[in-house]
Amino acid sequence: MEMLIVVAIIAILIAIAIPTFASSLNKARVATDEANIRSGYASVMTDVLTDDNYSVEGGTTGEATYKLNKDGSVTKVATADQEAADPYTTVGKTDTATKVAGVDAGPWDKGAGVTYVYDYSDGSITITVA
């Protein structure tokens, strides 16, 4: 009888621990995604500022579209539909709006790609995770 009670207590503890562990694991994956998106943001800003066509005086207009790669670098693409050579896909899922590097990245699902659009006219950047 005592052994049956011990097994029942262990089963209850496991039933409580599994959802908690799964939630913590997803939080860690979302944090990884946020760090990688932030790294891509820095790569975009570096590319924009070292671009020979970029002008602080506002000589450059239009937008530049970038895709995040698995290694943290970004690839400049002609259109938002074009894929990067080795695209990064998110490893976590978040249902809440998320700010990354001060820019709203919104919620995303697992396996989503990351696109950055830099607007030369006002210096703003849009992050899309879809």
Side-chain angles (χ1 to χ4, degrees):
M1 188 66 159
E2 290 176 9
M3 191 65 134
L4 187 61
I5 293 172
V6 168
V7 170
I9 291 172
I10 290 173
I12 291 170
L13 290 175
I14 289 173
I16 293 170
I18 289 175
T20 304
F21 177 72
S23 174
S24 297
L25 188 59
N26 188 55
K27 284 181 185 177
R29 289 178 175 157
V30 169
T32 299
D33 289 335
E34 289 173 352
N36 289 333
I37 293 169
R38 192 175 307 111
S39 172
Y41 174 85
S43 294
V44 168
M45 296 309 292
T46 300
D47 188 69
V48 166
L49 293 173
T50 58
D51 187 3
D52 291 337
N53 297 323
Y54 179 76
S55 171
V56 177
E57 290 78 28
T60 304
T61 59
E63 295 178 338
T65 303
Y66 297 86
K67 294 278 186 159
L68 182 61
N69 297 317
K70 285 182 182 176
D71 64 358
S73 66
V74 291
T75 301
K76 193 172 188 177
V77 294
T79 65
D81 295 336
Q82 182 181 349
E83 284 297 321
D86 192 17
Y88 175 80
T89 56
T90 56
V91 294
K93 177 184 186 316
T94 179
D95 295 326
T96 59
T98 305
K99 282 199 177 275
V100 177
V103 179
D104 188 17
W108 62 79
D109 290 324
K110 184 176 180 180
V114 182
T115 304
Y116 306 89
V117 178
Y118 183 83
D119 187 350
Y120 284 101
S121 62
D122 62 1
S124 66
I125 190 164
T126 305
I127 302 173
T128 305
V129 185

